[in-house]
Each structure stands twice: as C-alpha cells, then as structure tokens.
Amino acid sequence: MAVTPEILASWRSPRAGIRRHLARPRSEAFAFSLLLVFLILTLVGQWPQAARDAFLAQEPSAAPRMLARSLAVLATIPVWYGLAALSRLVAGLLGGQGSWYSSRLALFWALATLSPLMLLQGLVAGMIGPGPGLWLVVAGAGIAFLWLWLTMLHEAERNGHTATSGQGNA
C-alpha cells in the first residue's frame, strides 16, 4: 500500500495500522525510511516559517535558515532512536511483550502518520505567525502524536508482536 492511504488508514485505526507493519518481514531499512519520511516532511513544513522569518529580517533568501533547520532535523535521529529504546524499557517493566524493533516501528510509524499535521503546523507558522492559531495547531499535533504513539506502542507490546523474519529482538 502507498504511504498516503496507509497514513489515512492509520488515523482511522492506529492499532490496525501498526499491526500491518508488524506483519511485514523485519527490515531496519523500512523502519528507518518511516523516520526519514517524517523528518523530510517536517523539514518541508518548516519552509514557510523560514521564508517568513527571512522576509521579516529583510534577508535575501531563506536558504541559510533552511540549511540550519536541515542540520537540526538530522541531529534528532539519535534522539528518536533513544526515545524508542526508552519506551521499550518502560514497556518491558510494565509487562510488555514486544521487541526493540517493534517499539522503533511503533514510534516511527506514529511520527510518519503525524506528518500531515507537521505540514499544517508549518503553513500556520509561515502564513499566520505566532499566536493562538499556531498554539492550537502545535498543541493538537502534540496530543495527536501522544495518542498515536501510545496506542501503537501498546499494540506492539501486546502479545509479543514481532516481525516475521525471526531475527531475534535486537
């Protein structure tokens, strides 16, 4: 299934969405690609705000601002892996039966599913700017992320969901 319909399906039923991904053969490349989808779309979503900030600062181009944001987005990759590992440790202490891979997949798919809201957040930041509208979108995106991630993580940890390749739990 293409990514866009899969994202829409996961908004309707996050548990079914993560189950579809957990049923695939284990692939670290696939899990990483989900994280990259989120990071790239988040970066694209920041373009309107960078353009607005450059215009207000009377700079000729938003390119330097976008370069800085690109490097900042890339620097978050270890943070996302660390958050997935921490969530696996906490879930394990609470009786979760998943794997390190399933917790990464749950987090990365929740982030990829959140990508449309990140694009909306960027549009609001660039077109409207700071204020209650932006605050509402940011708060909504944060709540949506927590709902998606915790729902998907719960499903990944339930009944020992693991990928079908049999490559251990690393």
Side-chain angles (χ1 to χ4, degrees):
M1 184 182 270
V3 173
T4 304
E6 187 71 22
I7 286 174
L8 291 174
S10 288
W11 274 103
R12 285 190 302 273
S13 177
R15 290 181 187 281
I18 192 62
R19 275 194 306 266
R20 280 190 295 277
H21 290 303
L22 289 167
R24 295 169 168 260
R26 179 190 160 116
S27 171
E28 283 296 334
F30 174 74
F32 186 67
S33 73
L34 295 176
L35 179 60
L36 284 182
V37 163
F38 167 73
L39 294 176
I40 290 168
L41 290 177
T42 298
L43 182 62
V44 168
Q46 291 183 18
W47 199 294
Q49 184 178 7
R52 176 189 175 96
D53 293 345
F55 176 78
L56 292 175
Q58 297 180 342
E59 296 170 355
S61 171
R65 291 175 183 269
M66 284 308 294
L67 177 62
R69 290 169 190 236
S70 300
L71 294 173
V73 164
L74 285 175
T76 66
I77 291 173
V79 173
W80 296 117
Y81 273 89
L83 183 58
L86 181 63
S87 71
R88 173 65 203 116
L89 290 172
V90 170
L93 290 173
L94 296 174
Q97 301 296 313
S99 66
W100 297 100
Y101 175 76
S102 66
S103 67
R104 280 191 299 277
L105 196 60
L107 175 61
F108 297 169
W109 182 240
L111 289 169
T113 303
L114 190 70
S115 295
L117 285 182
M118 299 309 293
L119 292 171
L120 175 64
Q121 179 180 325
L123 279 174
V124 172
M127 301 301 180
I128 298 172
L134 181 59
W135 182 89
L136 185 63
V137 172
V138 169
I143 291 167
F145 166 68
L146 286 175
W147 170 69
L148 287 166
W149 178 40
L150 294 176
T151 301
M152 291 179 183
L153 182 63
H154 181 264
E155 184 63 28
E157 293 291 334
R158 200 171 66 94
N159 300 324
H161 278 299
T162 58
T164 58
S165 72
Q167 293 180 352
N169 288 340

